[in-house]
PDB file of all heavy atoms in Angstrom:
ATOM      1  N   GLU C   5     -24.764 -37.505  76.274  1.00 90.00           N
ATOM      2  CA  GLU C   5     -23.918 -37.813  77.413  1.00 90.00           C
ATOM      3  C   GLU C   5     -23.938 -36.671  78.405  1.00 90.00           C
ATOM      4  O   GLU C   5     -23.906 -36.900  79.634  1.00 90.00           O
ATOM      5  CB  GLU C   5     -22.499 -38.032  76.927  1.00 90.00           C
ATOM      6  CG  GLU C   5     -22.302 -39.274  76.112  1.00 90.00           C
ATOM      7  CD  GLU C   5     -20.897 -39.352  75.512  1.00 90.00           C
ATOM      8  OE1 GLU C   5     -20.146 -38.340  75.603  1.00 90.00           O
ATOM      9  OE2 GLU C   5     -20.541 -40.408  74.958  1.00 90.00           O
ATOM     10  N   GLU C   7     -26.299 -34.590  78.991  1.00 93.00           N
ATOM     11  CA  GLU C   7     -27.555 -34.544  79.715  1.00 93.00           C
ATOM     12  C   GLU C   7     -27.594 -35.610  80.789  1.00 93.00           C
ATOM     13  O   GLU C   7     -28.010 -35.387  81.962  1.00 93.00           O
ATOM     14  CB  GLU C   7     -28.722 -34.799  78.716  1.00 93.00           C
ATOM     15  CG  GLU C   7     -30.083 -34.666  79.367  1.00 93.00           C
ATOM     16  CD  GLU C   7     -31.195 -34.911  78.375  1.00 93.00           C
ATOM     17  OE1 GLU C   7     -30.983 -34.836  77.160  1.00 93.00           O
ATOM     18  OE2 GLU C   7     -32.336 -35.101  78.846  1.00 93.00           O
ATOM     19  N   SER C   8     -27.123 -36.813  80.488  1.00 94.00           N
ATOM     20  CA  SER C   8     -27.134 -37.900  81.523  1.00 94.00           C
ATOM     21  C   SER C   8     -26.158 -37.575  82.636  1.00 94.00           C
ATOM     22  O   SER C   8     -26.412 -37.847  83.808  1.00 94.00           O
ATOM     23  CB  SER C   8     -26.783 -39.257  80.866  1.00 94.00           C
ATOM     24  OG  SER C   8     -25.443 -39.228  80.393  1.00 94.00           O
ATOM     25  N   MET C   9     -25.020 -36.923  82.299  1.00 95.00           N
ATOM     26  CA  MET C   9     -24.102 -36.520  83.374  1.00 95.00           C
ATOM     27  C   MET C   9     -24.741 -35.468  84.257  1.00 95.00           C
ATOM     28  O   MET C   9     -24.596 -35.534  85.495  1.00 95.00           O
ATOM     29  CB  MET C   9     -22.797 -35.953  82.721  1.00 95.00           C
ATOM     30  CG  MET C   9     -21.751 -35.596  83.794  1.00 95.00           C
ATOM     31  SD  MET C   9     -20.357 -34.746  83.119  1.00 95.00           S
ATOM     32  CE  MET C   9     -20.998 -33.091  82.891  1.00 95.00           C
ATOM     33  N   LEU C  10     -25.430 -34.502  83.693  1.00 95.00           N
ATOM     34  CA  LEU C  10     -26.074 -33.490  84.474  1.00 95.00           C
ATOM     35  C   LEU C  10     -27.161 -34.082  85.387  1.00 95.00           C
ATOM     36  O   LEU C  10     -27.372 -33.639  86.508  1.00 95.00           O
ATOM     37  CB  LEU C  10     -26.664 -32.382  83.564  1.00 95.00           C
ATOM     38  CG  LEU C  10     -25.611 -31.470  82.894  1.00 95.00           C
ATOM     39  CD1 LEU C  10     -26.346 -30.546  81.917  1.00 95.00           C
ATOM     40  CD2 LEU C  10     -24.847 -30.694  83.883  1.00 95.00           C
ATOM     41  N   ILE C  11     -27.848 -35.104  84.874  1.00 95.00           N
ATOM     42  CA  ILE C  11     -28.904 -35.737  85.674  1.00 95.00           C
ATOM     43  C   ILE C  11     -28.276 -36.410  86.859  1.00 95.00           C
ATOM     44  O   ILE C  11     -28.728 -36.317  88.016  1.00 95.00           O
ATOM     45  CB  ILE C  11     -29.724 -36.734  84.829  1.00 95.00           C
ATOM     46  CG1 ILE C  11     -30.608 -35.954  83.844  1.00 95.00           C
ATOM     47  CG2 ILE C  11     -30.551 -37.647  85.684  1.00 95.00           C
ATOM     48  CD1 ILE C  11     -31.281 -36.850  82.777  1.00 95.00           C
ATOM     49  N   ARG C  12     -27.140 -37.074  86.647  1.00 96.00           N
ATOM     50  CA  ARG C  12     -26.435 -37.788  87.760  1.00 96.00           C
ATOM     51  C   ARG C  12     -25.927 -36.765  88.792  1.00 96.00           C
ATOM     52  O   ARG C  12     -26.066 -36.955  90.006  1.00 96.00           O
ATOM     53  CB  ARG C  12     -25.255 -38.626  87.232  1.00 96.00           C
ATOM     54  CG  ARG C  12     -25.649 -39.971  86.628  1.00 96.00           C
ATOM     55  CD  ARG C  12     -24.477 -40.853  86.526  1.00 96.00           C
ATOM     56  NE  ARG C  12     -23.332 -40.234  85.841  1.00 96.00           N
ATOM     57  CZ  ARG C  12     -23.089 -40.252  84.563  1.00 96.00           C
ATOM     58  NH1 ARG C  12     -23.933 -40.820  83.705  1.00 96.00           N
ATOM     59  NH2 ARG C  12     -21.978 -39.666  84.050  1.00 96.00           N
ATOM     60  N   VAL C  13     -25.330 -35.695  88.307  1.00 96.00           N
ATOM     61  CA  VAL C  13     -24.820 -34.647  89.190  1.00 96.00           C
ATOM     62  C   VAL C  13     -25.956 -34.014  89.985  1.00 96.00           C
ATOM     63  O   VAL C  13     -25.854 -33.788  91.223  1.00 96.00           O
ATOM     64  CB  VAL C  13     -24.045 -33.590  88.395  1.00 96.00           C
ATOM     65  CG1 VAL C  13     -23.724 -32.371  89.254  1.00 96.00           C
ATOM     66  CG2 VAL C  13     -22.759 -34.200  87.845  1.00 96.00           C
ATOM     67  N   ASN C  14     -27.082 -33.801  89.356  1.00 97.00           N
ATOM     68  CA  ASN C  14     -28.203 -33.181  90.014  1.00 97.00           C
ATOM     69  C   ASN C  14     -28.721 -34.121  91.128  1.00 97.00           C
ATOM     70  O   ASN C  14     -29.051 -33.635  92.230  1.00 97.00           O
ATOM     71  CB  ASN C  14     -29.301 -32.885  89.009  1.00 97.00           C
ATOM     72  CG  ASN C  14     -30.412 -31.978  89.546  1.00 97.00           C
ATOM     73  OD1 ASN C  14     -30.122 -31.250  90.501  1.00 97.00           O
ATOM     74  ND2 ASN C  14     -31.597 -32.086  89.027  1.00 97.00           N
ATOM     75  N   ALA C  15     -28.822 -35.405  90.847  1.00 97.00           N
ATOM     76  CA  ALA C  15     -29.288 -36.369  91.823  1.00 97.00           C
ATOM     77  C   ALA C  15     -28.319 -36.390  92.991  1.00 97.00           C
ATOM     78  O   ALA C  15     -28.759 -36.435  94.192  1.00 97.00           O
ATOM     79  CB  ALA C  15     -29.387 -37.746  91.216  1.00 97.00           C
ATOM     80  N   HIS C  16     -27.041 -36.339  92.724  1.00 97.00           N
ATOM     81  CA  HIS C  16     -26.043 -36.324  93.804  1.00 97.00           C
ATOM     82  C   HIS C  16     -26.192 -35.061  94.673  1.00 97.00           C
ATOM     83  O   HIS C  16     -26.180 -35.164  95.924  1.00 97.00           O
ATOM     84  CB  HIS C  16     -24.650 -36.359  93.192  1.00 97.00           C
ATOM     85  CG  HIS C  16     -23.515 -36.279  94.166  1.00 97.00           C
ATOM     86  ND1 HIS C  16     -23.240 -37.310  95.084  1.00 97.00           N
ATOM     87  CD2 HIS C  16     -22.618 -35.333  94.418  1.00 97.00           C
ATOM     88  CE1 HIS C  16     -22.218 -36.930  95.815  1.00 97.00           C
ATOM     89  NE2 HIS C  16     -21.828 -35.767  95.431  1.00 97.00           N
ATOM     90  N   LEU C  17     -26.363 -33.925  94.049  1.00 97.00           N
ATOM     91  CA  LEU C  17     -26.531 -32.694  94.815  1.00 97.00           C
ATOM     92  C   LEU C  17     -27.824 -32.686  95.641  1.00 97.00           C
ATOM     93  O   LEU C  17     -27.832 -32.170  96.745  1.00 97.00           O
ATOM     94  CB  LEU C  17     -26.496 -31.485  93.855  1.00 97.00           C
ATOM     95  CG  LEU C  17     -25.137 -31.186  93.207  1.00 97.00           C
ATOM     96  CD1 LEU C  17     -25.285 -30.050  92.206  1.00 97.00           C
ATOM     97  CD2 LEU C  17     -24.093 -30.838  94.214  1.00 97.00           C
TER      98      LEU C  17
END
Side-chain angles (χ1 to χ4, degrees):
E5 291 173 350
E7 185 178 345
S8 65
M9 184 188 76
L10 289 174
I11 289 171
R12 280 196 311 270
V13 168
N14 193 26
H16 177 68
L17 291 175

